[in-house]
Amino acid sequence: MKKLISALFLMAVFVFPMSAFADSASSEEPQTLDQIKEHYEYIFNKYQVNEPFSAEDAAFIQEHAKDVGAVVVKDPGTPTTFESGTKYFKGSNTNYALTGYINYDYSALGKNKWDVYMTAWDIAGIKRNITGSVKIDGFGVVDISTGAVGKVYTSTLSSSSSSKVSSFDMSKNDSYSGLLFIVYYYPKATFDGYDLPGTIQ
């Protein structure tokens, strides 16, 4: 009887913390839009170009693409389509603001291009060193033989003021040849070293 009680005690000591940990882990799954966006960016940033995503990470990227404002060029398993349009973004706090848009064209032949425009300014009109940037990550097939998916393209379009200014305009473009499933954008303006992110609308 004592051995049975001891065994039950040991099970309680070791099993309960594991189950508690599992509950804790599940409660930390991204719930809010900000948490989903943060996890989305974390996944893209932890892989190199042409490195296959884990099945879990690939599923998350596809499931939440529209939630975070990414462009779904095509869904895996469907015919390649042509997609073009405009994504707008903006950001602000008590001191700084930015606004802009991205014109994009994605072709069934794998010809893709972006035109990026941004205006960033100091709300009080104070002159700053200002840099505008938009990082672009593309998700697609990284290994045709296995069908593995991951980050197939990444680029950052940026421009900086030549001196301290109260307002700054950026106009940049880029292109990529290859098939894309999903494209995600990270707009940002930097004021004297302070980063202000933009949110895709």
Side-chain angles (χ1 to χ4, degrees):
M1 187 68 175
K2 289 183 178 180
K3 289 183 178 180
L4 176 61
I5 294 173
S6 297
L8 291 173
F9 175 76
L10 288 173
M11 287 179 63
V13 169
F14 288 104
V15 174
F16 175 74
M18 289 299 292
S19 61
F21 176 79
D23 291 341
S24 175
S26 63
S27 67
E28 292 177 2
E29 288 294 315
Q31 300 292 329
T32 69
L33 183 56
D34 285 343
Q35 290 173 335
I36 290 171
K37 182 179 177 183
E38 182 179 344
H39 192 62
Y40 206 85
E41 295 177 359
Y42 166 75
I43 291 173
F44 264 122
N45 289 330
K46 78 175 182 177
Y47 291 96
Q48 300 297 316
V49 170
N50 293 327
E51 180 184 356
F53 285 9
S54 69
E56 181 183 6
D57 287 345
F60 189 91
I61 290 296
Q62 293 172 81
E63 179 183 355
H64 294 288
K66 293 182 179 179
D67 297 334
V68 299
V71 174
V72 179
V73 182
K74 70 181 293 294
D75 292 319
T78 64
T80 303
T81 60
F82 178 85
E83 180 80 20
S84 64
T86 302
K87 281 288 185 180
Y88 296 91
F89 57 84
K90 63 181 179 180
S92 64
N93 59 23
T94 56
N95 298 313
Y96 312 117
L98 67 86
T99 186
Y101 59 94
I102 303 158
N103 288 332
Y104 59 87
D105 288 291
Y106 304 117
S107 149
L109 301 176
K111 301 293 185 180
N112 313 286
K113 63 179 182 178
W114 300 268
D115 295 306
V116 175
Y117 303 91
M118 180 189 293
T119 296
W121 65 98
D122 183 288
I123 294 174
I126 299 172
K127 292 185 176 181
R128 312 276 186 182
N129 290 311
I130 303 176
T131 296
S133 69
V134 176
K135 183 184 176 189
I136 304 170
D137 278 336
F139 175 84
V141 176
V142 299
D143 189 332
I144 295 176
S145 64
T146 64
V149 292
K151 183 165 63 175
V152 295
Y153 166 84
T154 187
S155 178
T156 299
L157 309 182
S158 66
S159 183
S160 300
S161 60
S162 57
S163 61
K164 288 184 177 291
V165 293
S166 58
S167 179
F168 176 71
D169 295 323
M170 180 183 82
S171 176
K172 302 286 287 186
N173 59 72
D174 197 13
S175 61
Y176 166 72
S177 294
L179 296 178
L180 297 168
F181 290 167
I182 294 168
V183 183
Y184 183 65
Y185 308 103
Y186 313 67
K188 179 180 70 175
T190 303
F191 301 82
D192 285 341
Y194 175 85
D195 291 337
L196 176 69
T199 300
I200 299 293
Q201 304 300 294

